[in-house]
Amino acid sequence: MSNSDWDANVVIGSKAKAPKVTRNTSDLNAARRAGAVVGTDKKVTGGLNKAHQGTDHQKIAKLDRENEVAPPPKINPSVGKAMQTARMEKQLSQKDVAQKINEKPSILQDYEAGRAIPNAQILAKLERVLGVKLRGNDIGKKLEGPKKS
């Protein structure tokens, strides 16, 4: 056993001193005069928004604008006119036709106004109810009954 172990003081409950961060030069100079170990680190991105650090987001946005997808084609206005005339001939309201094809009246309004994106199933239902051809070349032509062989 050596007596050198008795010289070390062990204090229970004391915390190690955390390094102090100072923001002004007077505290920094006072620490240097006292002989403390001083380290200075300058922030690289100090005061900048890291999310907008580079110009990559601008390049990506430009690419997105260049690759815009064309909007889907709207229905031909002649289809809407043919639907409207056939509906008037049968003396049906938009609401009546919408009920017969199991769709909302607003969808029928969009088709007649030419704002709708064409859907083959809805057009087929409308052809059956109105008795008018709405797809293909001869739009507005009356449909004949089922073909007999």
Side-chain angles (χ1 to χ4, degrees):
M1 289 248 185
S2 70
N3 291 337
S4 65
D5 291 339
W6 293 100
D7 293 336
N9 289 342
V10 177
V11 180
I12 298 174
S14 69
K15 295 181 182 177
K17 290 186 178 182
K20 184 179 178 187
V21 177
T22 62
R23 288 187 174 79
N24 53 14
T25 56
S26 62
D27 290 341
L28 187 64
N29 288 335
R32 284 184 181 146
R33 282 192 300 273
V37 176
V38 177
T40 56
D41 295 328
K42 189 161 180 83
K43 288 186 179 179
V44 177
T45 59
L48 296 177
N49 189 350
K50 289 184 182 180
H52 295 92
Q53 199 168 10
T55 57
D56 292 339
H57 66 282
Q58 292 171 344
K59 292 175 185 174
I60 292 170
K62 185 177 178 184
L63 279 175
D64 285 344
R65 283 192 300 275
E66 288 174 0
N67 295 337
E68 280 296 319
V69 178
K74 303 286 185 200
I75 198 158
N76 197 344
S78 62
V79 175
K81 294 283 184 198
M83 284 173 52
Q84 196 170 15
T85 53
R87 182 174 57 79
M88 293 297 196
E89 285 176 9
K90 292 198 172 211
Q91 296 178 345
L92 295 171
S93 67
Q94 286 181 340
K95 188 177 179 181
D96 295 336
V97 175
Q99 279 182 335
K100 287 186 177 190
I101 65 170
N102 291 329
E103 296 291 341
K104 294 179 182 176
S106 62
I107 291 176
L108 196 66
Q109 290 170 359
D110 288 344
Y111 270 87
E112 284 189 4
R115 292 186 303 256
I117 298 168
N119 183 340
Q121 291 176 328
I122 294 175
L123 286 171
K125 290 181 201 176
L126 285 166
E127 284 178 343
R128 263 185 259 121
V129 169
L130 297 174
V132 173
K133 190 163 172 51
L134 300 174
R135 299 175 289 177
N137 295 333
D138 34 332
I139 294 173
K141 183 180 175 187
K142 300 278 186 204
L143 286 177
E144 296 88 29
K147 293 181 182 177
K148 297 174 185 171
S149 46

